[in-house]
């Protein structure tokens, strides 16, 4: 999943913050105030794919499976199903038994009746992902996978699917039994089904709100959407129809945070918090000040505040503690290495920086060699990140710690490489293309203060190899649209694990995924073939060989300049209980507020 690295309206934030007047009410109580650093685009699970929207989607809708909140490494567990899916037919058939008695939140589309979750809801929801008129950003994960689905999609042409047409690949065996039949073995399908995109929607709600399904989410999850002011505030309220569920996760005895959370939350009904206000604060410093003023209950420490908030061991950047003045205020720190890679990519279809010829590879390689990654980690990240040397990050199945494929910083060699490839320096002191035409590269960039810091390093990078650089400034959604239209030459992003398997990262280099998870448009037949072969294999030595080969080929052609994996520093006030940052899922439903404090 794509995320980015924080326009703050103080009056709105102050007005939106509320508190509960009761102490320890029988049901969910209190209001949790949190922030995100970018605007959500909507809450229809089939139509959105950005991290900001998905944080809400994951709390409104229910997926078949989810994750144990406390288990590390992460562990997949049943959510609305009675037990883990039955996998048969050599990894091609998945059968799910849905628990009876799970109900959707009330909605006028149900005409005053309680609406139970059934297998047919997942049949409908998964078919929506395949519907071309939906244009789902997660279509690539399901397209071509199910028996009979291709024929259904073809029959629809450019129009909507006939949802009443039954297919072998996605079917309800009875009221509560869902069966998925795949064309090929896929040992990652359980984790894919845990993604928020594949939560169950009710057909009658979708059809009643067809004009804007993004603004009218109705699911069986622990929360409902009570307010949405796009770009400013999202408010959630506990779903009164949510099934009875108690916190029963077992702690890791070696992890003090895990033990503390289990003690605070054991036996409590989920959710404990009645209201959640999600404030969109794009700039980092205002978000930090809002947290210190207790306008936010949970937040992250922004990079500019590291010096004030964190005490770092100069001999070991990872030995970090919270400054005493914050500890004395009852603030707690949690540090987590994220399941992500950050990167800058080249548009491989662009006539200047794209292409697969030696000269184009030399241009991209030289730019990568001039990028001072270690310096950006030290100065911008304040040492709170580690360099990416393999496509798949540490903590994700398929990571190989013995491979170091990122290019080494060496501006002198970068210039020599460009000289040899025919990128000559012109009279103006800047390089031209091998045919003598002007050479200039445009990079996409955000509007926040932190983006300007990164731009200084990129200007330094391009100056070092004497290539003209310009910046295209815009909001994240604007730049994403431009990139899909092929209008950006370079842009920097982070890819955060949707599921803890290497497939989630390797898919970024699969040619047919261009426009979806493949942001660079990298399309090499050999890599495509190897990736397809990897889908048929479970995690193990055979698949690892394919992953290592793909990693090597990506390094050879240089569609990416690898960045870093960040170490997140999250802080909570002492009245916040149950918080433990999870690598995949959100924490809000598992938290509570001590209102006496």
């Amino acid at each position: 999943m794509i995320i980015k690295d924080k326009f703050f309206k103080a009056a709105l934030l102050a007005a939106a913050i509320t508190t509960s007047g009761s102490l320890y009410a029988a049901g969910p109580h209190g209001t949790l105030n949190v922030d995100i650093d970018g605007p959500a685009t909507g809450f229809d699970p089939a139509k959105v794919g950005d991290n900001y929207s998905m944080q809400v989607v994951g709390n409104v809708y229910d997926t078949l499976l989810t994750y144990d909140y406390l288990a590390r490494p992460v562990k997949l567990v049943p959510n609305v199903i009675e037990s883990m899916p039955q996998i048969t037919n050599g990894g091609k058939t998945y059968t799910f038994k849905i628990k009876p008695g799970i109900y959707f939140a009330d909605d006028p589309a149900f005409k005053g009746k309680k609406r139970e979750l059934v297998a047919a809801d997942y049949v409908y929801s998964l078919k929506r992902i395949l519907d071309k008129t939906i244009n789902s950003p997660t279509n690539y994960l399901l397209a071509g996978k199910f028996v009979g689905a291709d024929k259904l999609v073809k029959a629809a042409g450019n129009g909507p699917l006939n949802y009443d047409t039954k297919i072998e690949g996605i079917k309800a065996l009875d009221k509560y039994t869902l069966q998925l039949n795949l064309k090929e073995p896929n040992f990652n399908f359980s984790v894919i089904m845990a993604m928020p995109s594949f939560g169950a929607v009710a057909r009658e709600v979708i059809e009643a709100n067809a004009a804007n399904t993004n603004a009218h989410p109705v699911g069986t999850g622990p929360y409902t959407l009570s307010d949405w002011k796009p770009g400013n505030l999202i408010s959630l309220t506990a779903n009164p129809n949510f099934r009875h569920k108690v916190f029963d996760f077992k702690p890791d005895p070696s992890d003090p945070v895990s033990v503390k959370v289990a003690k605070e939350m054991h036996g409590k009904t989920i959710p404990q918090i009645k209201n959640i206000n999600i404030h969109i604060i794009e700039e980092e410093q205002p978000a930090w000040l809002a947290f210190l003023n207790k306008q936010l209950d949970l937040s992250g420490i922004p990079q500019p505040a590291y010096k004030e908030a964190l005490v770092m061991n100069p001999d070991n950047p990872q030995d970090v503690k919270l400054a005493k003045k914050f500890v004395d205020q009852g603030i707690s720190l949690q540090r987590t290495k994220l399941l992500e890679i950050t990167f800058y990519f080249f548009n491989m279809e662009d006539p200047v920086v794209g292409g697969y010829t030696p000269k184009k590879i030399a241009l991209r390689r030289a730019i990568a060699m001039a990028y001072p990654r270690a310096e950006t980690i030290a100065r911008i990240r304040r040492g709170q990140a580690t360099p990416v040397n393999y496509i798949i990050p540490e903590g994700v199945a398929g990571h190989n710690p013995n491979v170091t494929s990122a290019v080494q910083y060496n501006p002198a060699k970068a210039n020599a490489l460009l000289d040899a490839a025919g990128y000559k320096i012109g009279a103006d002191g800047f390089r031209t293309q091998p045919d003598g035409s002007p050479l200039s590269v445009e990079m996409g960039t955000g509007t926040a203060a932190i983006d300007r810091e990164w731009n200084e390093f990129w200007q330094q990078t391009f100056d070092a190899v004497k290539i003209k650089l310009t910046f295209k400034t815009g909001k994240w959604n604007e730049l994403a649209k431009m990139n899909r239209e092929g209008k950006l030459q370079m842009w920097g992003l982070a890819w955060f694990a949707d599921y803890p398997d290497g497939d989630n990262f390797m898919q970024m280099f699969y040619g047919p995924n261009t426009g979806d998870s493949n942001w660079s448009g990298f399309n090499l037949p050999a890599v495509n073939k190897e990736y397809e072969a990897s889908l048929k294999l479970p995690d193990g030595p055979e698949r690892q060989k394919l992953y290592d080969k793909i990693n090597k080929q990506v390094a050879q052609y240089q569609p990416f300049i690898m960045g870093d994996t960040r170490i997140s520093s999250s802080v909570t006030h002492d009245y916040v209980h149950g918080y433990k940052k999870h690598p995949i899922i959100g924490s809000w439903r598992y938290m509570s507020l001590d209102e006496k404090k």
Side-chain angles (χ1 to χ4, degrees):
M1 178 186 298
I2 282 291
I3 58 176
K4 72 178 184 63
D5 275 346
K6 251 178 176 152
F7 208 12
F8 174 75
K9 297 179 176 65
L12 175 66
L13 178 62
I17 290 172
T18 61
T19 58
S20 170
S22 62
L23 294 177
Y24 301 104
H29 57 278
T31 298
L32 178 72
N33 286 281
V34 298
D35 68 303
I36 55 176
D37 63 4
T41 54
F43 312 111
D44 182 336
K47 292 183 177 180
V48 297
D50 60 281
N51 183 52
Y52 313 111
S53 301
M54 282 302 174
Q55 291 186 54
V56 174
V57 168
N59 280 281
V60 171
Y61 296 97
D62 267 318
T63 49
L64 293 161
L65 300 110
T66 186
Y67 292 88
D68 184 308
Y69 182 52
L70 298 181
R72 304 293 186 276
V74 296
K75 177 185 176 184
L76 206 61
V77 295
N79 187 29
V80 299
I81 53 178
E82 294 179 347
S83 59
M84 294 299 287
Q86 181 183 10
I87 305 173
T88 55
N89 194 21
K92 292 195 289 186
T93 298
Y94 285 71
T95 305
F96 305 84
K97 283 281 189 179
I98 297 169
K99 298 174 185 175
I102 297 174
Y103 294 92
F104 283 89
D106 294 336
D107 189 81
F110 301 138
K111 304 184 185 307
K113 298 178 182 178
K114 290 194 73 174
R115 171 61 157 80
E116 189 178 15
L117 175 71
V118 293
D121 294 316
Y122 285 99
V123 173
Y124 174 72
S125 301
L126 293 175
K127 284 181 177 178
R128 289 188 75 229
I129 304 292
L130 301 174
D131 192 328
K132 289 183 180 180
T133 64
I134 300 292
N135 193 27
S136 175
T138 49
N139 172 276
Y140 68 95
L141 288 168
L142 303 186
K145 298 287 196 302
F146 299 109
V147 175
D150 293 349
K151 184 178 179 181
L152 178 65
V153 172
K154 185 177 180 181
N158 293 322
L161 293 185
N162 183 341
Y163 289 94
D164 296 319
T165 300
K166 295 182 179 181
I167 61 172
E168 181 66 19
I170 311 172
K171 62 182 181 179
L173 300 183
D174 56 43
K175 185 175 182 179
Y176 300 112
T177 307
L178 171 73
Q179 188 175 90
L180 304 178
N181 289 294
L182 306 176
K183 292 160 61 177
E184 299 285 349
N186 190 323
F187 292 92
N188 290 320
F189 220 71
S190 291
V191 288
I192 289 173
M193 287 295 98
M195 291 175 58
S197 299
F198 308 122
V201 301
R203 182 172 181 173
E204 53 266 60
V205 173
I206 296 296
E207 292 178 347
N209 297 276
N212 191 0
T213 57
N214 265 323
H216 196 88
V218 178
T220 59
Y223 286 96
T224 63
L225 179 70
S226 53
D227 193 18
W228 180 28
K229 297 180 174 65
N232 293 315
L233 176 72
I234 304 164
S235 293
L236 305 179
T237 300
N239 176 8
N241 288 355
F242 189 61
R243 60 194 176 277
H244 180 70
K245 187 175 177 64
V246 298
F247 192 104
D248 60 356
F249 300 106
K250 302 298 186 289
D252 175 357
S254 66
D255 178 3
V257 174
S258 179
V259 172
K260 177 176 179 288
V261 168
K263 183 178 179 180
E264 291 171 338
M265 300 302 296
H266 181 73
K268 290 186 177 179
T269 302
I270 297 170
Q272 281 286 297
I273 297 172
K274 184 176 182 179
N275 303 299
I276 301 174
N277 286 333
I278 308 162
H279 307 275
I280 291 81
I281 310 176
E282 296 186 25
E283 292 287 352
E284 293 183 311
Q285 194 62 20
W288 176 238
L289 293 176
F291 173 77
L292 294 180
N293 291 330
K294 294 190 176 182
Q295 294 174 307
L296 296 175
D297 307 309
L298 160 67
S299 193
I301 302 177
Q303 293 158 15
Y306 281 170
K307 187 174 181 180
E308 172 194 18
L310 301 177
V311 179
M312 302 182 187
N313 182 339
D315 298 322
N316 180 8
Q318 309 314 322
D319 181 11
V320 176
K321 294 175 180 158
L322 190 65
K324 185 177 182 299
K325 69 175 182 178
F326 297 116
V327 174
D328 291 345
Q329 295 174 40
I331 295 173
S332 296
L333 169 70
Q334 283 188 39
R335 287 168 43 76
T336 308
K337 191 170 187 178
L338 302 177
L339 298 184
E340 68 162 8
I341 62 170
T342 67
F343 56 89
Y344 283 80
F345 67 86
F346 298 94
N347 178 353
M348 293 296 287
E349 298 176 353
D350 181 80
V352 176
V353 299
Y356 300 83
T357 64
K359 291 183 185 297
K360 299 298 187 180
I361 296 170
L363 174 62
R364 296 192 296 270
R365 178 70 53 80
I367 295 171
M369 292 170 68
Y371 173 57
R373 181 171 66 166
E375 191 176 357
T376 63
I377 291 174
R379 292 180 57 186
I380 297 183
R381 302 293 195 206
R382 273 65 169 183
Q384 303 310 295
T386 58
V388 170
N389 291 311
Y390 195 83
I391 293 167
I392 303 167
E394 180 185 357
V396 174
H399 171 73
N400 190 341
N402 301 315
V403 174
T404 303
S405 58
V407 297
Q408 301 302 305
Y409 175 65
N410 195 324
K413 284 189 176 181
N415 278 289
L417 179 60
L418 289 171
D419 291 339
Y423 291 90
K424 298 179 180 179
I425 299 175
D428 61 356
F430 290 99
R431 294 187 184 274
T432 62
Q433 297 192 60
D435 63 2
S437 60
L439 173 62
S440 179
V441 176
E442 183 179 69
M443 177 180 287
T445 181
T447 60
I450 191 68
D451 296 306
R452 294 189 288 274
E453 287 190 54
W454 286 103
N455 292 349
E456 291 178 11
F457 278 97
W458 279 107
Q459 188 64 64
Q460 173 187 321
T461 297
F462 277 78
D463 287 347
V465 288
K466 303 175 178 61
I467 298 175
K468 287 182 180 178
L469 173 67
T470 59
F471 293 101
K472 183 68 176 181
T473 303
K475 299 286 187 181
W476 187 90
N477 57 333
E478 297 168 342
L479 293 170
K481 183 176 183 292
M482 289 181 63
N483 185 63
R484 288 193 177 94
E485 296 170 350
K487 296 178 181 178
L488 291 182
Q489 291 180 315
M490 286 186 71
W491 191 23
L493 295 168
W495 185 267
F496 189 89
D498 298 296
Y499 49 93
D501 189 86
D503 170 61
N504 192 222
F505 291 84
M506 286 295 176
Q507 66 187 354
M508 291 192 288
F509 304 98
Y510 182 52
N513 286 349
T514 296
D516 293 310
S517 59
N518 184 345
W519 289 74
S520 69
F522 182 71
N523 191 2
L524 196 68
V527 167
N528 294 342
K529 185 177 179 180
E530 290 151 4
Y531 174 73
E532 289 167 358
S534 74
L535 292 175
K536 301 175 185 179
L537 297 170
D539 179 35
E542 284 189 71
R543 194 182 73 161
Q544 192 64 56
K545 288 179 183 177
L546 288 172
Y547 279 2
D548 290 350
K549 194 172 182 180
I550 293 171
N551 191 84
K552 183 178 180 180
Q553 290 165 316
V554 169
Q556 177 185 345
Y557 285 91
Q558 201 76 58
F560 277 22
I561 297 175
M562 294 299 183
D564 51 44
T565 294
R566 292 166 292 183
I567 298 168
S568 164
S569 293
S570 302
V571 282
T572 54
H573 290 291
D574 60 355
Y575 51 82
V576 175
H577 293 173
Y579 176 69
K580 181 174 174 61
K581 189 175 181 67
H582 192 278
I584 306 292
I585 59 172
S587 304
W588 304 332
R589 71 177 68 188
Y590 302 120
M591 295 165 58
S592 68
L593 299 172
D594 182 349
E595 293 186 281
K596 290 190 294 186
K597 292 187 177 183

